[in-house]
Amino acid sequence: MENEKSIMSNEESLRIIRSMIESTKQDLRDNGSWFLLWGWLVFAACILHYTLMGVGYEKPYLAWMLMPIGGVISFIKGLREGKSQKVKTHIDEFMKHVLIAFLVSLFIVLGFMPKLGLSTYPLIMMVYGFWLYISGGVINFRPLRIGGIINWVLAIAAFFVEFELQLVLLGTAVLLGYIIPGYILRNKYNKAVKLNPNSSKESYV
Amino acid sequence: MFNELNPLLHQQLRLSVMSLLMNVKEADFTYIREKTGATAGNLSVQINKLAEAEYIQVKKSFKENYPLTTCSVT
């Protein structure tokens, strides 16, 4: 670019502004990795819990020990992504606060599990729905918003069923809310990267 | 209806930097350089001019022992 060029035409100014806006837009891509990571972990834990109950194992809830493992993976992944992040968008900042609100709500539900009893899983799905719907709205991605709505519907349904069926509903909720939208998002991301290879380096999630 | 645009912004690179930063919360120097295609020296000069005019805020820090310059709109 030239060092000094004092007068620009309106068209030229607009072209510059537009090209800069477009170039940052391409970085607002989510490759779906967080949705896939947690979707598969929760899904696996549901299946394992259900299976262990089926075979009559004494402590089937040990299946949820997968969650701390996910926590450690997330911590490492988050640190690595933070280090390579060259730009912080307004969406990043907004999503950071939504994530905090989501995690606090989730931990309150998990912390009061003994008091909540059979209402625990429906409330977890309700909090998932909240997170998915907002994420889908912010990145303008319909499958996530639909996933959020499905989570809410399944949360209502889960209030009326036994624990075993609640496990099945939670597994379905993460499959439809996290895993499937996660793969669609990944597909979309890969396609976009193929079209514009340079923009992939600064993907924000 | 609108005030005249400050002549400081009537320059390709400075306008590019402002347009870029208006769209994000903050960005590293290397990111801005990649997006604008400018040379490091030229970009550094223009960023200083924008910072002097208080259009942008420049934060200098270190990341893994390397200097890191982060810019954001004031």
Side-chain angles (χ1 to χ4, degrees), chain A residues 8-25:
Chain A
M8 279 186 296
S9 67
N10 288 342
E11 287 76 21
E12 202 176 351
S13 303
L14 278 174
R15 186 190 57 76
I16 289 172
I17 294 169
R18 193 181 301 134
S19 76
M20 287 298 115
I21 290 173
E22 284 300 317
S23 74
T24 50
K25 242 189 202 173

Side-chain angles (χ1 to χ4, degrees), chain A residues 144-165:
Chain A
L144 275 180
R145 290 206 304 273
I146 294 171
I149 294 167
I150 291 172
N151 268 260
W152 286 330
V153 172
L154 292 175
I156 295 168
F159 275 113
F160 299 99
V161 299
E162 292 298 309
F163 181 72
E164 276 181 31
L165 200 52

Side-chain angles (χ1 to χ4, degrees), chain A residues 18-181:
Chain A
R18 193 181 301 134
S19 76
M20 287 298 115
I21 290 173
E22 284 300 317
S23 74
T24 50
K25 242 189 202 173
Q26 280 158 357
D27 299 334
L28 303 180
R29 282 194 205 123
D30 189 327
N31 63 11
S33 60
W34 287 101
F35 295 103
L36 289 172
L37 170 69
W38 282 101
W40 277 117
L41 276 173
V42 176
F43 187 74
C46 287
I47 300 277
L48 197 58
H49 192 155
Y50 189 82
T51 312
L52 291 175
M53 275 172 82
V55 297
Y57 182 65
E58 261 179 40
K59 296 171 181 173
Y61 52 84
L62 285 179
W64 294 98
M65 287 309 286
L66 282 173
M67 297 302 107
I69 297 171
V72 174
I73 298 171
S74 296
F75 182 74
I76 297 166
K77 183 171 150 63
L79 272 184
R80 281 176 60 187
E81 283 179 5
K83 273 183 187 169
S84 62
Q85 194 178 31
K86 292 182 196 166
V87 62
K88 196 188 272 178
T89 64
H90 297 294
I91 289 179
D92 290 333
E93 190 65 10
F94 176 74
M95 288 310 288
K96 187 180 86 185
H97 294 298
V98 177
L99 180 65
I100 292 168
F102 164 70
L103 290 176
V104 170
S105 309
L106 192 63
F107 282 120
I108 290 173
V109 173
L110 294 174
F112 286 91
M113 210 185 254
K115 267 184 181 266
L116 292 167
L118 273 180
S119 301
T120 307
Y121 283 10
L123 287 175
I124 288 175
M125 281 183 258
M126 193 187 77
V127 177
Y128 279 172
F130 158 90
W131 162 251
L132 292 168
Y133 192 84
I134 292 183
S135 303
V138 168
I139 64 170
N140 197 18
F141 187 58
R142 195 185 288 180
L144 275 180
R145 290 206 304 273
I146 294 171
I149 294 167
I150 291 172
N151 268 260
W152 286 330
V153 172
L154 292 175
I156 295 168
F159 275 113
F160 299 99
V161 299
E162 292 298 309
F163 181 72
E164 276 181 31
L165 200 52
Q166 281 190 344
L167 272 174
V168 176
L169 291 180
L170 182 63
T172 313
V174 290
L175 179 71
L176 300 175
Y178 285 73
I179 299 172
I180 293 175

